Amino acid sequence: MQTYGRKVSDHKKLMALLVAAVAIVVALYHVPGKHQAYIDMIRLHMWFVTYWVGLGVLSSVGLGTGLHTFLLYLGPHIASVTMAAYECNSLNFPKPPYPDEIICPEKVDPTFIPSLWNIMGKVRVEAFLWGAGTALGELPPYFMAKAARLSGYDPDDAEDLQEFEELKKKREQGVDLNYLDRAKIFMERIVERVGFPGILACASIPNPLFDLAGITCGHFLVPFWTFFGATLIGKAVIKMHIQKIFVIIAFNEILIGKALDVLKHIPIMGKRLQEPFKAFLQNQKARLHRGQAKKASESGNFLARLFEKFVVAMIVYFVVSIINSLAQSYHKRIHKKGGKVHRKVARD
């Protein structure tokens, strides 16, 4: 505590400026006036940025079990915008309620034609923020491995580092590896030998093994901006464009209609499957129009309720998995410390 107090006292001017800045912000936030419109705008934009970046971080950081927020949040958002673009024949959705809710505008440009490019432009900000969040989520393995290399940290204290060390030993000993281990070693070699282009290539595709790239970069002391720059460009720009294109094409109105037609030809269950999907799409389209929104919300839909329950179940599973992972790590540390104490007592 004395050390921290001494550090604070050494930067009195900086602390005074910081306290003054916080006081001014708090005062501006609470004092009524014309500036409140700007405060509200800043608050909304900050929440928007925090929301999508946070979802991106959650998708990468899972302590062993990632909550893939693209499938649960960003993907459905892009799909909703795509379907709304074809239904409303416009992308000028009223703000508010967009982006929380999509409603067709009252005035529509008759010359507007929905296309892949203008739909991509509509969702580019949230997609980039989500991708940037996933890049930020890849930093913990990098910093952990870098700290381990610089300080001699025991790799047994972290499962990821332990796995990395085991792979190194297997490669050195020439042990017969399975397909997954070969893929991990291949990616490790690309990152180690190629550098920035290798990291960029690994980050630009959906890659569940990218944690190993961060560990490899940290272990070999790759400069931070080399690793993070390549990861940010790969995940927030290249990979996000690939994912956006896939979702927009998949939820094209023509393709959805064809998919529903194909669905009914499935033996026995075809018509039963087609009906709830048709009802779901009609419900979503009705919600886009102000006059039918109330009717659609009252009617409800089985698929919508099912998806909501699925999202809740995934979040609960994610939280339970994090708690379980933390408990296992804590137990491992306690067990290891206990073993060291017993060995020390035995030597004494």
Side-chain angles (χ1 to χ4, degrees), residues 17-144:
L17 287 173
L18 184 62
V19 171
V22 171
I24 291 171
V25 170
V26 171
L28 288 173
Y29 186 82
H30 290 284
V31 174
K34 293 182 179 180
H35 65 280
Q36 285 296 330
Y38 299 100
I39 296 292
D40 291 339
M41 183 179 67
I42 293 171
R43 185 179 60 188
L44 287 173
H45 281 81
M46 287 182 65
W47 167 245
F48 180 81
V49 171
T50 304
Y51 178 78
W52 287 112
V53 171
L55 287 176
V57 171
L58 283 175
S59 192
S60 293
V61 178
L63 299 178
T65 168
L67 176 68
H68 211 302
T69 51
F70 181 85
L71 296 176
L72 298 178
Y73 294 96
L74 183 59
H77 173 69
I78 297 173
S80 298
V81 171
T82 303
M83 290 190 293
Y86 287 100
E87 176 66 19
C88 304
N89 202 38
S90 175
L91 285 169
N92 296 321
F93 309 126
K95 295 183 181 181
Y98 183 83
D100 297 326
E101 183 182 358
I102 301 176
I103 296 176
C104 291
E106 295 179 358
K107 295 182 180 180
V108 178
D109 183 3
T111 61
F112 176 82
I113 300 175
S115 68
L116 174 67
W117 306 113
N118 52 35
I119 296 173
M120 285 177 63
K122 184 67 176 179
V123 297
R124 68 179 181 276
V125 177
E126 46 265 59
F128 176 82
L129 292 173
W130 184 88
T134 61
L136 289 172
E138 300 295 349
L139 293 180
Y142 168 81
F143 285 125
M144 182 175 61

Side-chain angles (χ1 to χ4, degrees), residues 83 275-285 301-305 307:
M83 290 190 293
E275 289 176 3
F277 276 101
K278 268 190 173 180
F280 175 76
L281 289 174
Q282 290 172 358
N283 192 359
Q284 295 303 309
K285 288 181 179 180
N301 187 271
F302 172 74
L303 283 179
R305 292 195 298 270
F307 182 74

